[in-house]
Coordinates of all heavy atoms in Angstrom, one line a residue:
C281 N -6.2 9.3 -3.9 CA -6.9 8.5 -2.8 C -8.3 8.5 -2.8 O -8.9 7.9 -1.9 CB -6.2 8.7 -1.5 SG -6.6 10.3 -0.8
S282 N -8.9 9.4 -3.6 CA -10.4 9.5 -3.7 C -11.0 10.2 -2.4 O -12.2 10.2 -2.3 CB -11.0 8.1 -4.0 OG -10.6 7.6 -5.3
A283 N -10.2 10.8 -1.7 CA -10.7 11.5 -0.5 C -11.3 12.8 -1.0 O -11.0 13.3 -2.1 CB -9.6 11.8 0.4
T284 N -12.0 13.5 -0.3 CA -12.7 14.8 -0.6 C -11.5 15.9 -0.6 O -10.8 16.1 0.5 CB -13.7 15.1 0.3 OG1 -14.8 14.2 0.1 CG2 -14.3 16.5 -0.3
L285 N -11.4 16.6 -1.7 CA -10.5 17.7 -1.6 C -10.9 18.8 -1.0 O -12.1 19.3 -1.1 CB -10.0 18.0 -3.0 CG -9.3 17.0 -3.9 CD1 -9.0 17.4 -5.4 CD2 -8.0 16.6 -3.3
K286 N -10.1 19.7 -0.4 CA -10.5 20.9 0.3 C -9.9 22.1 -0.7 O -8.8 22.0 -1.2 CB -10.0 21.1 1.7 CG -10.4 20.1 2.6 CD -9.9 20.3 4.0 CE -10.8 21.5 4.6 NZ -10.5 21.7 6.1
T287 N -10.8 23.1 -0.8 CA -10.3 24.2 -1.7 C -9.7 25.2 -0.8 O -10.4 25.8 0.1 CB -11.5 24.6 -2.5 OG1 -11.9 23.6 -3.3 CG2 -11.0 25.8 -3.4
Y288 N -8.6 25.7 -1.1 CA -7.9 26.9 -0.4 C -7.8 28.1 -1.4 O -7.6 27.9 -2.7 CB -6.5 26.5 0.1 CG -6.6 25.6 1.2 CD1 -6.5 24.3 1.0 CD2 -6.7 26.0 2.6 CE1 -6.6 23.3 2.1 CE2 -6.7 25.1 3.6 CZ -6.6 23.6 3.3 OH -6.6 22.8 4.3
T289 N -8.0 29.3 -1.0 CA -7.8 30.4 -1.8 C -6.7 31.4 -1.1 O -6.9 31.8 0.0 CB -9.0 31.2 -1.8 OG1 -10.1 30.3 -2.5 CG2 -8.9 32.3 -2.8
L290 N -5.7 31.5 -1.8 CA -4.7 32.4 -1.3 C -4.2 33.4 -2.3 O -3.8 33.0 -3.6 CB -3.4 31.5 -0.8 CG -3.6 30.7 0.4 CD1 -2.4 29.7 0.7 CD2 -3.7 31.6 1.6
E291 N -4.2 34.5 -2.0 CA -3.6 35.5 -3.0 C -4.4 35.5 -4.4 O -3.7 35.8 -5.4 CB -2.1 35.5 -3.2 CG -1.4 35.6 -1.7 CD 0.1 35.5 -2.0 OE1 0.6 35.1 -3.0 OE2 0.8 35.5 -0.9
G292 N -5.6 35.2 -4.4 CA -6.4 35.2 -5.5 C -6.4 34.0 -6.3 O -6.9 33.9 -7.3
H293 N -5.5 33.0 -5.8 CA -5.5 31.8 -6.5 C -6.2 30.7 -5.7 O -6.4 30.8 -4.5 CB -4.0 31.3 -6.8 CG -3.2 32.2 -7.7 ND1 -3.3 32.2 -9.1 CD2 -2.5 33.3 -7.3 CE1 -2.6 33.1 -9.5 NE2 -2.0 33.8 -8.5
Q294 N -6.7 29.6 -6.4 CA -7.3 28.6 -5.7 C -6.5 27.2 -5.9 O -5.8 27.0 -6.9 CB -8.7 28.3 -6.3 CG -9.7 29.3 -5.8 CD -11.1 28.9 -6.2 OE1 -11.4 28.0 -7.1 NE2 -12.1 29.3 -5.4
A295 N -6.5 26.4 -4.9 CA -5.8 25.2 -4.9 C -6.6 24.1 -4.3 O -7.4 24.3 -3.3 CB -4.4 25.2 -4.2
E296 N -6.6 22.9 -5.0 CA -7.4 21.8 -4.4 C -6.3 21.0 -3.7 O -5.4 20.4 -4.2 CB -8.0 20.9 -5.6 CG -8.9 21.8 -6.5 CD -10.2 22.1 -5.9 OE1 -10.5 21.4 -4.8 OE2 -10.9 23.0 -6.3
V297 N -6.6 20.7 -2.4 CA -5.6 20.2 -1.6 C -6.2 18.9 -0.8 O -7.4 18.9 -0.3 CB -5.1 21.1 -0.5 CG1 -4.1 20.3 0.3 CG2 -4.5 22.2 -1.1
C298 N -5.6 17.7 -0.8 CA -6.0 16.5 -0.1 C -5.1 16.5 1.2 O -4.0 16.4 1.2 CB -5.6 15.3 -0.9 SG -6.2 13.8 -0.2
E299 N -6.0 16.5 2.3 CA -5.2 16.3 3.6 C -5.0 15.0 3.9 O -4.3 14.7 5.0 CB -6.1 17.0 4.6 CG -6.3 18.6 4.5 CD -7.0 19.2 5.6 OE1 -8.0 18.5 6.2 OE2 -6.8 20.4 5.9
S300 N -5.4 14.0 3.1 CA -5.1 12.7 3.4 C -3.8 12.2 3.0 O -3.1 11.5 3.7 CB -6.3 11.8 2.8 OG -7.4 12.0 3.5
C301 N -3.6 12.5 1.7 CA -2.2 12.1 1.1 C -1.3 13.2 0.7 O -0.2 13.0 0.2 CB -2.5 11.3 -0.2 SG -3.0 12.2 -1.5
G302 N -1.7 14.6 0.8 CA -0.9 15.6 0.6 C -0.9 16.2 -0.7 O -0.1 16.9 -1.2
Y303 N -1.8 15.5 -1.6 CA -2.0 16.1 -3.1 C -2.3 17.4 -3.1 O -3.2 17.9 -2.2 CB -2.9 15.2 -3.8 CG -3.3 15.7 -5.2 CD1 -2.7 15.4 -6.2 CD2 -4.5 16.4 -5.2 CE1 -3.0 15.9 -7.5 CE2 -4.7 17.1 -6.5 CZ -4.1 16.7 -7.5 OH -4.5 17.1 -8.8
A304 N -1.8 18.2 -4.0 CA -2.1 19.6 -4.1 C -2.2 19.9 -5.7 O -1.3 19.8 -6.4 CB -1.1 20.5 -3.4
G305 N -3.4 20.3 -6.0 CA -3.6 20.8 -7.4 C -3.9 22.1 -7.5 O -4.8 22.6 -6.8
V306 N -3.3 22.9 -8.4 CA -3.5 24.4 -8.5 C -4.4 24.6 -9.8 O -4.2 24.2 -10.8 CB -2.3 25.1 -8.5 CG1 -2.5 26.7 -8.7 CG2 -1.3 25.0 -7.4
A307 N -5.5 25.3 -9.4 CA -6.4 25.6 -10.6 C -6.1 27.1 -11.1 O -6.3 28.1 -10.5 CB -7.9 25.7 -9.9
V308 N -5.5 27.0 -12.3 CA -5.2 28.4 -12.9 C -5.7 28.3 -14.3 O -5.9 27.2 -14.9 CB -3.7 28.6 -13.0 CG1 -3.1 28.7 -11.5 CG2 -3.0 27.3 -13.6
E309 N -5.9 29.5 -14.9 CA -6.7 29.6 -16.1 C -5.7 29.7 -17.2 O -5.9 29.4 -18.4 CB -7.6 30.9 -16.2 CG -8.6 30.7 -15.2 CD -8.5 31.4 -13.9 OE1 -7.8 32.3 -13.9 OE2 -8.8 30.7 -12.9
H310 N -4.4 30.2 -16.9 CA -3.5 30.6 -18.0 C -2.3 29.8 -17.8 O -1.2 30.3 -17.8 CB -3.2 32.1 -18.0 CG -3.1 32.7 -16.7 ND1 -1.8 32.5 -15.9 CD2 -3.8 33.4 -16.1 CE1 -2.0 33.1 -14.9 NE2 -3.2 33.6 -14.8
G311 N -2.3 28.4 -17.6 CA -1.1 27.5 -17.6 C -0.5 27.6 -16.3 O -0.5 28.6 -15.5
S312 N 0.0 26.5 -15.9 CA 0.5 26.3 -14.5 C 2.1 26.4 -14.6 O 2.7 25.7 -15.6 CB 0.2 25.0 -13.9 OG 0.4 24.0 -14.6
E313 N 2.6 27.0 -13.7 CA 4.2 27.0 -13.8 C 4.7 26.3 -12.4 O 4.3 26.6 -11.4 CB 4.6 28.5 -13.6 CG 4.1 29.3 -14.8 CD 4.4 30.8 -14.7 OE1 5.2 31.1 -13.7 OE2 4.0 31.6 -15.5
P314 N 5.6 25.4 -12.8 CA 6.3 24.6 -11.6 C 6.8 25.5 -10.4 O 6.6 25.1 -9.3 CB 7.4 24.0 -12.2 CG 7.0 23.8 -13.7 CD 6.3 25.0 -14.1
E315 N 7.3 26.7 -10.9 CA 7.8 27.6 -9.8 C 6.7 28.0 -8.9 O 6.8 28.1 -7.7 CB 8.6 28.8 -10.5 CG 9.4 29.5 -9.4 CD 10.0 30.6 -10.2 OE1 10.4 30.5 -11.4 OE2 10.5 31.5 -9.6
E316 N 5.6 28.3 -9.4 CA 4.4 28.8 -8.7 C 3.9 27.6 -7.8 O 3.5 27.8 -6.7 CB 3.3 29.3 -9.6 CG 2.2 29.8 -8.7 CD 1.2 30.6 -9.8 OE1 1.5 30.7 -11.0 OE2 0.1 30.9 -9.2
F317 N 4.0 26.4 -8.4 CA 3.5 25.3 -7.6 C 4.4 25.0 -6.4 O 3.9 24.9 -5.3 CB 3.6 24.1 -8.5 CG 3.1 22.8 -7.9 CD1 1.6 22.6 -7.7 CD2 3.8 21.8 -7.2 CE1 1.1 21.5 -7.0 CE2 3.3 20.8 -6.6 CZ 2.0 20.6 -6.4
E318 N 5.7 25.2 -6.5 CA 6.6 25.1 -5.3 C 6.2 26.2 -4.3 O 6.2 25.9 -3.1 CB 8.0 25.4 -5.7 CG 8.5 24.2 -6.5 CD 8.4 22.9 -5.8 OE1 8.7 22.8 -4.6 OE2 8.0 21.8 -6.3
S319 N 6.0 27.5 -4.8 CA 5.5 28.5 -3.6 C 4.2 28.1 -3.0 O 3.9 28.4 -1.9 CB 5.5 29.9 -4.4 OG 4.4 29.9 -5.4
W320 N 3.3 27.4 -3.8 CA 2.0 27.1 -3.2 C 2.3 26.0 -2.0 O 1.8 26.1 -1.0 CB 1.3 26.2 -4.3 CG 0.2 27.2 -4.8 CD1 0.0 27.8 -5.9 CD2 -1.1 27.6 -3.9 NE1 -1.1 28.5 -6.0 CE2 -1.7 28.4 -4.8 CE3 -1.5 27.3 -2.7 CZ2 -3.0 29.1 -4.5 CZ3 -2.7 27.7 -2.4 CH2 -3.4 28.7 -3.1
Q321 N 3.3 25.1 -2.3 CA 3.6 24.1 -1.4 C 4.0 24.9 0.0 O 3.6 24.5 1.1 CB 4.6 23.3 -1.7 CG 4.2 22.3 -2.9 CD 3.3 21.1 -2.6 OE1 2.6 21.2 -1.7 NE2 3.3 20.1 -3.4
D322 N 4.8 25.9 -0.2 CA 5.3 26.7 1.0 C 4.1 27.4 1.7 O 4.1 27.4 2.8 CB 6.4 27.7 0.5 CG 7.6 27.0 0.1 OD1 7.8 25.8 0.5 OD2 8.5 27.6 -0.6
A323 N 3.3 28.0 0.8 CA 2.2 28.8 1.4 C 1.1 27.9 2.0 O 0.7 28.2 3.3 CB 1.5 29.5 0.2
L324 N 0.9 26.7 1.6 CA 0.1 25.7 2.3 C 0.7 25.2 3.5 O 0.0 25.1 4.5 CB -0.2 24.5 1.3 CG -1.2 25.0 0.1 CD1 -1.4 23.9 -0.8 CD2 -2.5 25.3 0.7
A325 N 2.0 25.1 3.6 CA 2.7 24.5 4.8 C 2.5 25.5 5.9 O 2.1 25.3 7.0 CB 4.2 24.3 4.5
R326 N 2.7 26.9 5.4 CA 2.5 27.9 6.4 C 0.9 28.0 6.9 O 0.8 28.2 8.1 CB 2.9 29.3 5.9 CG 4.4 29.3 5.7 CD 4.8 30.9 5.5 NE 4.1 31.5 4.5 CZ 4.5 31.6 3.2 NH1 5.6 31.0 2.9 NH2 3.8 32.1 2.3
F327 N 0.2 27.8 5.9 CA -1.3 28.0 6.2 C -1.8 26.9 7.3 O -2.5 27.1 8.3 CB -2.0 27.8 4.9 CG -3.6 28.0 5.1 CD1 -4.0 29.3 5.1 CD2 -4.4 26.9 5.2 CE1 -5.4 29.5 5.2 CE2 -5.8 27.2 5.4 CZ -6.3 28.5 5.4
R328 N -1.1 25.7 7.0 CA -1.6 24.5 7.9 C -0.9 24.6 9.3 O -1.3 24.2 10.3 CB -1.3 23.2 7.2 CG -2.1 23.1 5.9 CD -1.6 21.9 5.3 NE -1.9 20.6 5.8 CZ -1.8 19.4 5.3 NH1 -1.4 19.3 4.0 NH2 -2.1 18.3 5.9
D329 N 0.3 25.2 9.3 CA 1.0 25.5 10.6 C 0.2 26.4 11.5 O 0.3 26.5 12.6 CB 2.5 25.9 10.4 CG 3.3 24.7 9.9 OD1 3.0 23.6 10.0 OD2 4.4 25.0 9.4

Side-chain angles (χ1 to χ4, degrees):
C281 71
S282 297
T284 302
L285 294 175
K286 299 190 72 173
T287 302
Y288 291 92
T289 304
L290 288 173
E291 300 177 359
H293 296 277
Q294 283 192 335
E296 304 287 341
V297 180
C298 178
E299 293 187 331
S300 294
C301 72
Y303 167 86
V306 180
V308 291
E309 296 92 40
H310 45 76
S312 58
E313 300 176 13
E315 189 173 342
E316 184 172 349
F317 184 78
E318 289 300 319
S319 62
W320 255 110
Q321 299 281 30
D322 292 341
L324 288 170
R326 289 198 304 271
F327 188 82
R328 295 172 67 173
D329 285 344

